[in-house]
Amino acid sequence: MSVTFIFDKNQLLNNGLLHIPSFFKGEHLYAIQDELLQMLDDKSKMIPREGSEHFFQKYQSTSYCFVNQHVHYPTLKALESNVLIESILNSIFPEGYQLQQSLVQHNKAGEGQAIPWHQDVHFEKVAPSKMFNFLLYPFDTTMESGALHFVLGSHKQGRLPTGNPHDPLSGEQAIAPKAGDLIIGDCRLFHKVNHNYSNQDRVSVNMRFHSSEVKPEDTQIGVYRNGQVNYAG
Amino acid sequence: MSHIEIVAGGTRARKDTLHVSALADFGYNIINDEGIFELSNPLLAELLGDKRTLFVISPTVYEIYGQAISQYMEKHLPAQQYLLTVTPSTEVNKTMDSVLGICAQAKAFNLDRDGCFVAIGGGIIMDMVGFAASMYRRGTKFIKIATTLVGQVDVSVGVKTGVNFMQSKNMLGTYYPAYATINDRLFLHTLPARELRCGLAEVIKMGLVCDANIFEQIEDYYLKHPKGSIKHMDYSIFVAAMLRMIEELQPNLLELELERLVDFGHTFSMRFETHTDHRLLHGEAVAIDMALSCALSYLKGHMSKEDSERAIRLIQHSDLPIYDAECCHVDSMQASVEEVRLHRNAVNLVLPTDIGEGIFIKEPEELPVELLQQAIDIVKLIDAEGKTEARQAELDMA
């Protein structure tokens, strides 16, 4: 059984970002929401925050993270082999692909948490269009609660300009995805999430895939405006 | 099976003018069948024959029926003859970009002039695929397979295609008949309650301004089954709504005549949908519009108070909204009147008179601010009463 998902591949490759509204809806979306709420309630599944104080302070990236926890939740686990996502992956990675990791990020209402400007991979290690975030938004976001900020086309530019972590970038745009929206973004794209001082939680589900041509060990370095981090520790 | 064919006409030269006359047969069939993807059902396979075919399916339908559709096609057509594709199918995605995406997919698949698009999903998918088919190679055959009640009773019977544009619903589109339309009632069994209600809104619409019998049958169903599900209603009610719809549409398929009873519920609703960013589904917006129109009809003396309330209460009983605080204000209603006046050359607001009959309001001046406010107040009151009654019923049951 094979199927092709219709999407604008050229836009994705040229801009480094593609927004597909209402990719998930109805009962499927409700099941995703239910499981995510269970995950967020289970602190044992969250990455411990102790020992990361230096990272929070230097890079001002402060969301609660749940890494590779989909396996405990059937609907979330099934996302990784969702037939429509597979169709998109087959189109952008005809050479084959691999899931690097799944990541749920939670910016709690009113806590002012944020994710500063960054690139998920090092521009010298991974070429444009070789690694993508599949960001699913299970709940509505607003401009105040955690819109996604990005610079279109920046995935082809090389290093993120140096500076303070949250300082504005030339050409930046923002989008506030609605529940069920899917955003596919090149991991080299300059992107950030603003501080959430709203009364609304912000949750995103990220499945990060890379081309089979990319070595897994080359996918571990994230670049920030004031430095770079080896996520593998 | 007909598609668009030139059946008569000729050319004539007179002085400097060459005159061309061409009479086109615009006829099409709507087939009500059951189990169309059962392997033994030859209907779709026979319609497709050896045509190269691009299927465009909504994600939800693919999730539920993808396997059955795949198995059916594997049995009946060679693998290289067809391609199954999926595209999002919400009002937000109903854009020119999505239609161009479908056309791009058709080109990549080498869909030829004798090929065929098959749209499987709700009204949005059918509108988008129909639009793509009408443009692709200047017109390619397409088959509609409606899986929602709105799709079956409303979209599938007409010839309109289109997409939303600049916050206006269906601003871009064409009049283009399907090669065939197939309605399978079994799809309704997996349809969420909210989607079923939206379809019922269109059926109630036909009952209120075209056929009292439809209205009474729905009323009767709820009398016998106060908590009954729409999916258990007699399908013949929906077929009757299709028939009335076709009768209304057929003499005016290209909408040259802008007085259309089937526009009942479609004056204020378009703005309700777009200006709530589609928080309200189409059928929900239509339901609120119908309730307001019934109140207006009573206020203008066209409908008795009893019939007006009876109509609004049936909409309410169907669990459709009759009032929405964000939408129901005079500014929005007046703006809607202005918008449709431009579109229809007159307001042409349809108001029911008796159950099953309607009239047209032509001029904006016939809808003064005070009258609109009174209509809002009426539906707001009935809405509040209904919610109080529902709460009381819940307490009684507890």
Side-chain angles (χ1 to χ4, degrees):
Chain A
M1 173 166 139
S2 73
V3 68
T4 302
F5 185 82
I6 298 176
F7 72 105
D8 194 336
K9 183 176 166 183
N10 287 337
Q11 190 186 336
L12 174 60
L13 301 189
N14 289 331
N15 291 341
L17 185 123
L18 184 69
H19 177 204
I20 306 176
S22 302
F23 189 86
F24 294 102
K25 60 179 188 173
E27 300 299 324
H28 194 187
L29 178 60
Y30 302 148
I32 292 169
Q33 291 172 340
D34 280 350
E35 291 186 2
L36 276 170
L37 292 175
Q38 289 172 40
M39 184 193 290
L40 300 184
D41 271 348
D42 185 350
K43 295 292 173 271
S44 72
K45 300 211 163 30
M46 194 173 86
I47 295 286
R49 297 173 70 78
E50 296 75 27
S52 297
E53 292 80 3
H54 172 73
F55 175 82
F56 298 146
Q57 194 173 359
K58 179 174 181 188
Y59 298 108
Q60 299 170 35
S61 184
T62 51
S63 66
Y64 300 107
C65 294
F66 301 76
V67 175
N68 292 333
Q69 297 300 322
H70 286 191
V71 66
H72 303 293
Y73 304 93
T75 310
L76 294 174
K77 173 70 184 146
L79 288 177
E80 294 166 10
S81 55
N82 177 281
V83 68
L84 301 182
I85 289 176
E86 278 184 348
S87 166
I88 297 172
L89 287 164
N90 286 329
S91 175
I92 55 183
F93 297 129
E95 69 279 16
Y97 61 87
Q98 222 176 306
L99 175 72
Q100 190 230 21
Q101 68 170 17
S102 68
L103 169 66
V104 171
Q105 287 183 294
H106 182 200
N107 294 11
K108 279 192 187 171
E111 289 196 7
Q113 291 174 319
I115 306 164
W117 287 112
H118 68 288
Q119 294 167 289
D120 298 304
V121 285
H122 197 284
F123 54 98
E124 289 173 341
K125 302 272 187 193
V126 177
S129 307
K130 291 295 175 190
M131 188 161 159
F132 287 94
N133 290 319
F134 280 62
L135 288 158
L136 161 64
Y137 291 82
F139 305 103
D140 286 355
T141 64
T142 63
M143 282 298 167
E144 295 73 33
S145 74
L148 180 69
H149 293 243
F150 49 86
V151 180
L152 289 182
S154 58
H155 61 306
K156 296 177 180 172
Q157 286 181 24
R159 196 202 189 286
L160 175 68
T162 53
N164 291 318
H166 283 281
D167 278 359
L169 283 179
S170 171
E172 74 175 89
Q173 298 178 38
I175 192 166
K178 299 288 182 194
D181 287 6
L182 179 72
I183 290 184
I184 309 173
D186 192 304
C187 288
R188 290 172 46 127
L189 196 77
F190 309 163
H191 61 287
K192 69 169 274 185
V193 177
N194 263 2
H195 301 84
N196 182 7
Y197 290 116
S198 77
N199 59 3
Q200 185 180 330
D201 279 16
R202 187 245 191 216
V203 184
S204 66
V205 178
N206 186 0
M207 289 174 292
R208 188 170 288 165
F209 296 92
H210 61 77
S211 159
S212 55
E213 291 171 354
V214 172
K215 293 183 205 151
E217 59 269 28
D218 285 344
T219 65
Q220 299 297 336
I221 296 174
V223 179
Y224 292 76
R225 296 197 68 174
N226 58 346
Q228 58 188 46
V229 176
N230 187 340
Y231 292 124
Chain B
M1 185 66 60
S2 60
H3 192 228
I4 305 172
E5 283 180 289
I6 304 300
V7 292
T11 57
R12 185 174 78 229
R14 183 177 289 171
K15 293 186 180 173
D16 295 332
T17 304
L18 299 177
H19 178 74
V20 182
S21 169
L23 299 178
D25 177 358
F26 218 58
Y28 54 100
N29 288 339
I30 299 157
I31 304 162
N32 290 314
D33 196 6
E34 266 189 33
I36 60 164
F37 290 116
E38 283 173 12
L39 295 180
S40 58
N41 189 327
L43 175 66
L44 183 59
E46 285 174 2
L47 282 170
L48 292 174
D50 59 359
K51 296 178 192 64
R52 202 165 170 77
T53 302
L54 181 73
F55 287 82
V56 185
I57 309 168
S58 81
T60 310
V61 172
Y62 186 77
E63 195 182 313
I64 301 170
Y65 298 103
Q67 196 168 3
I69 296 168
S70 293
Q71 285 173 350
Y72 183 90
M73 298 319 303
E74 280 166 20
K75 174 175 162 63
H76 291 283
L77 294 188
Q80 68 278 9
Q81 193 187 318
Y82 67 93
L83 177 67
L84 301 185
T85 68
V86 170
T87 195
S89 57
T90 64
E91 290 287 350
V92 183
N93 305 104
K94 195 179 174 186
T95 62
M96 199 65 197
D97 282 346
S98 297
V99 169
L100 294 177
I102 293 167
C103 292
Q105 192 65 58
K107 185 165 189 299
F109 179 56
N110 292 323
L111 195 73
D112 54 3
R113 185 71 202 274
D114 296 324
C116 187
F117 290 86
V118 178
I120 311 178
I124 293 168
I125 280 280
M126 289 190 288
D127 278 356
M128 290 198 300
V129 177
F131 194 13
S134 71
M135 293 193 296
Y136 185 75
R137 297 186 188 274
R138 297 194 177 91
T140 306
K141 291 184 179 69
F142 88 111
I143 293 174
K144 298 179 190 177
I145 300 179
T147 59
T148 64
L149 187 53
V150 177
Q152 295 189 358
V153 301
D154 190 62
V155 185
S156 72
V157 297
V159 296
K160 289 198 283 191
T161 77
V163 293
N164 303 331
F165 182 63
M166 295 180 76
Q167 276 219 314
S168 289
K169 266 194 65 83
N170 301 324
M171 176 61 104
L172 305 179
T174 53
Y175 297 100
Y176 190 70
Y179 175 62
T181 291
I182 306 172
N183 288 330
D184 183 340
R185 73 184 76 179
L186 298 183
F187 285 126
L188 304 186
H189 291 174
T190 52
L191 204 59
R194 191 179 179 196
E195 297 276 353
L196 282 165
R197 288 197 292 272
C198 286
L200 190 67
E202 299 286 352
V203 180
I204 292 174
K205 172 189 86 173
M206 298 311 295
L208 266 172
V209 293
C210 292
D211 186 343
N213 194 37
I214 292 173
F215 183 92
E216 283 158 6
Q217 284 187 76
I218 299 169
E219 216 176 30
D220 190 47
Y221 176 79
Y222 280 126
L223 204 62
K224 289 177 182 153
H225 314 279
K227 297 278 178 197
S229 163
I230 296 164
K231 70 179 73 167
H232 296 132
M233 279 185 185
D234 189 338
Y235 195 77
S236 67
I237 300 174
F238 307 145
V239 174
M242 288 176 214
L243 272 173
R244 294 291 92 77
M245 180 77 98
I246 294 164
E247 286 166 6
E248 288 292 322
L249 295 179
Q250 187 275 331
N252 188 30
L253 271 182
L254 303 184
E255 296 183 313
L256 300 176
E257 175 58 59
L258 297 171
E259 278 189 2
R260 294 158 26 98
L261 280 174
V262 296
D263 282 341
F264 174 52
H266 290 69
T267 294
F268 310 116
S269 60
M270 289 188 280
R271 196 176 178 85
F272 293 168
E273 273 187 85
T274 53
H275 285 253
T276 57
D277 276 340
H278 304 284
R279 172 176 59 78
L280 291 174
L281 299 181
H282 178 68
E284 293 168 338
V286 167
I288 296 169
D289 182 317
M290 290 195 296
L292 289 166
S293 298
C294 289
L296 281 170
S297 189
Y298 155 63
L299 291 168
K300 291 187 74 66
H302 298 306
M303 196 178 200
S304 70
K305 187 168 189 280
E306 293 70 31
D307 276 351
S308 171
E309 285 192 5
R310 183 181 160 203
I312 296 171
R313 293 225 181 256
L314 182 68
I315 299 167
Q316 195 178 37
H317 195 114
S318 312
D319 275 340
L320 282 159
I322 57 170
Y323 173 80
D324 184 277
E326 188 186 349
C327 299
C328 296
H329 51 82
V330 288
D331 291 347
S332 170
M333 292 175 74
Q334 279 194 308
S336 298
V337 166
E338 271 311 304
E339 273 175 19
V340 296
R341 190 174 65 86
L342 288 173
H343 176 59
R344 300 174 186 161
N345 294 337
V347 178
N348 282 330
L349 169 70
V350 183
L351 297 183
T353 50
D354 293 323
I355 302 285
E357 288 174 27
I359 56 159
F360 297 92
I361 299 296
K362 310 291 287 185
E363 302 298 332
E365 293 73 30
E366 296 178 71
L367 299 164
V369 171
E370 304 75 34
L371 193 79
L372 298 176
Q373 186 59 57
Q374 284 177 312
I376 292 169
D377 292 342
I378 288 173
V379 294
K380 188 177 178 183
L381 184 66
I382 297 176
D383 182 57
E385 285 171 1
K387 283 175 178 158
T388 306
E389 285 165 16
R391 267 196 299 273
Q392 189 57 51
E394 277 173 22
L395 287 173
D396 290 347
M397 283 181 74

